[in-house]
């Protein structure tokens, strides 16, 4: 499983401009690429929506060796309902803490050298107030589960992540494909996991030849396959193949063929410019205001 790697987490965003400010100016991430689509994704990357949407990849460095965020924006949807499924993304950057204080972005100190803040939409982010490391500052993604033992079996035994740490006191298990990658923390929430409408998706890559094996294993184990092996096109870029799964609590998981994904995920020097242009051309807020209407709340 050493060839598998953690790639990104997908967030649905209702306010693209405010979200861009948070990732760029507060966290200090870079826009790695931006893409616009006229219709919904075959693998529901943008959620269960058929219309026009955009995808913006943001991170501290290239997707080849950084865990990044995928921001999906559905034109016409202004907000999403949070559940208890996504419990936070943790990163290390004293610069981000300084940025937040300077910009007046709300911060709550939860323990020594650890702050909690929120991305627009209410997504929790934990910032460790220490110097940003030379490698990827993003250390873990935390997800809520209803049965820690069952979930650990799924992620470790079936998907091949290594158990790195366990805490009975906190009811958590830390998993990852390697020490150098962003980790996945599972935390028992003591009840049912509610995904709301803001539910995201975590993505991993693997050698393309492993995709049919992953799908076959899930069928054999009678686990949930949301999207069987399918090819996804991005205009002017590499076509990738993916399998979309759901764990026992319904967390969406994407496995994508690594070889083509490395081509697709190459940093686009025009990413920042493309995002700014798309936001400038997006008159949906003005249209809704002019017609005395509000964007849909999903």
């Amino acid at each position: 499983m050493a060839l598998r790697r953690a790639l990104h987490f997908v967030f649905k965003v209702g306010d693209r401009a405010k979200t861009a400010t948070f990732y760029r100016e507060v966290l200090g991430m870079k826009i790695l690429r931006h893409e616009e689509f006229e219709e919904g994704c075959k693998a529901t990357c943008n959620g269960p929506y058929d219309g026009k949407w955009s995808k913006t990849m943001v991170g501290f460095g290239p997707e080849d060796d950084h865990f990044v965020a995928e921001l999906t924006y559905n034109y016409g949807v202004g907000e999403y309902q949070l559940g208890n499924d996504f419990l936070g993304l943790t990163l290390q950057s004293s610069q981000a803490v300084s940025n937040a204080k300077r910009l007046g972005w709300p911060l709550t100190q939860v323990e020594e050298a650890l702050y909690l803040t929120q991305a627009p939409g209410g997504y929790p982010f934990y910032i460790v107030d220490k110097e940003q490391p030379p490698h990827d500052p993003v250390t873990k993604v935390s997800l809520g589960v209803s049965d820690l033992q069952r979930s650990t079996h799924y992620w470790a035994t079936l998907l091949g992540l290594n158990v790195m740490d366990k805490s009975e006191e906190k009811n958590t298990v830390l998993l990852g494909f390697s020490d150098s990658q962003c980790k996945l923390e599972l935390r028992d929430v003591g009840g049912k996991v509610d995904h709301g409408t803001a539910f995201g998706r975590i993505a991993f890559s693997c050698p393309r030849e492993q995709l049919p094996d992953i799908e076959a294993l899930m069928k054999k184990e009678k686990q949930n396959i949301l999207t069987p092996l399918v090819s996804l096109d991005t205009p002017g870029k590499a076509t990738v193949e993916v399998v979309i799964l759901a764990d026992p609590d319904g967390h969406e998981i994407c496995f994508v063929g690594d070889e083509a994904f490395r081509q697709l995920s190459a940093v686009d020097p025009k990413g920042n410019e493309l995002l700014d242009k798309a936001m400038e051309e997006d008159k949906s807020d003005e249209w809704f205001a002019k017609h005395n209407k509000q964007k849909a709340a999903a």
Side-chain angles (χ1 to χ4, degrees):
M1 303 303 175
L3 295 173
R4 296 183 183 181
R5 60 192 179 101
L7 299 177
H8 56 255
F9 193 85
V10 181
F11 296 96
K12 296 189 187 75
V13 304
D15 187 329
R16 192 163 51 170
K18 199 171 179 184
T19 298
T21 296
F22 174 74
Y23 284 93
R24 288 194 286 204
E25 297 180 31
V26 179
L27 298 185
M29 289 185 176
K30 301 178 182 70
I31 304 299
L32 304 173
R33 52 192 172 98
H34 176 82
E35 293 145 8
E36 295 278 331
F37 301 88
E38 291 302 319
E39 56 185 28
C41 170
K42 283 192 286 186
T44 62
C45 313
N46 61 314
Y49 306 98
D50 293 332
K52 184 177 178 180
W53 66 289
S54 75
K55 175 201 295 182
T56 309
M57 309 303 292
V58 292
F60 287 104
E63 293 173 72
D64 274 358
D65 50 12
H66 290 76
F67 189 86
V68 309
E70 176 178 317
L71 311 176
T72 63
Y73 171 72
N74 291 292
Y75 287 79
V77 182
E79 62 179 296
Y80 300 89
Q81 179 191 336
L82 291 173
N84 63 351
D85 52 344
F86 176 76
L87 300 180
L89 183 147
T90 302
L91 59 98
Q92 179 178 316
S93 172
S94 53
Q95 184 61 55
V97 173
S98 299
N99 292 345
K101 289 177 177 175
R102 176 174 50 82
L103 295 167
W105 200 277
L107 275 179
T108 304
Q109 187 163 1
V110 290
E111 57 185 66
E112 189 179 353
L114 182 66
Y115 289 86
L116 169 64
T117 189
Q118 289 184 347
Y123 301 108
F125 277 67
Y126 291 90
I127 308 176
V128 179
D129 191 10
K130 293 181 181 175
E131 187 177 349
Q132 193 169 303
H135 50 82
D136 188 8
V138 179
T139 57
K140 69 178 177 182
V141 173
S142 302
L143 300 179
V145 299
S146 60
D147 182 330
L148 196 55
Q149 189 174 351
R150 179 182 66 175
S151 294
T152 303
H153 170 78
Y154 180 90
W155 288 90
T157 307
L158 300 185
L159 294 186
L161 282 83
N162 304 306
V163 175
M164 306 281 193
D165 194 21
K166 290 181 183 180
S167 170
E168 289 186 18
E169 181 190 346
K170 294 181 181 176
N171 265 336
T172 59
V173 171
L174 191 70
L175 306 110
F177 282 122
S178 79
D179 285 331
S180 60
Q181 294 184 25
C182 174
K183 311 298 185 299
L184 171 66
E185 179 183 69
L186 303 177
R187 189 185 311 160
D188 200 313
V189 295
K192 188 180 177 187
V193 175
D194 172 18
H195 294 274
T197 57
F199 62 90
R201 173 182 289 178
I202 191 165
F204 302 92
S205 72
C206 66
R208 189 266 160 224
E209 63 189 22
Q210 292 182 11
L211 291 172
D213 298 337
I214 290 171
E215 185 177 325
L217 176 63
M218 292 301 153
K219 281 180 182 169
K220 176 172 169 281
E221 296 291 331
K222 297 183 169 50
Q223 297 294 334
N224 198 356
I225 300 171
L226 298 178
T227 306
L229 186 58
V230 65
S231 296
L232 301 180
D233 298 322
T234 299
K237 296 189 177 181
T239 295
V240 297
E241 292 174 275
V242 303
V243 174
I244 312 295
L245 313 172
D247 82 349
D249 285 298
H251 289 291
E252 295 193 0
I253 307 152
C254 171
F255 272 93
V256 58
D258 190 73
E259 299 86 345
F261 185 78
R262 285 185 185 270
Q263 295 176 42
L264 172 67
S265 63
V267 175
D268 182 354
K270 293 184 177 176
N272 218 37
E273 182 186 324
L274 290 171
L275 171 61
D276 286 339
K277 181 171 181 281
M279 291 194 295
E280 191 181 327
E281 292 175 353
D282 179 6
K283 305 300 181 188
S284 56
D285 285 337
E286 293 171 27
W287 186 92
F288 278 92
K290 183 180 175 184
H291 292 81
N292 220 9
K293 295 181 178 180
Q294 285 189 317
K295 284 189 175 183

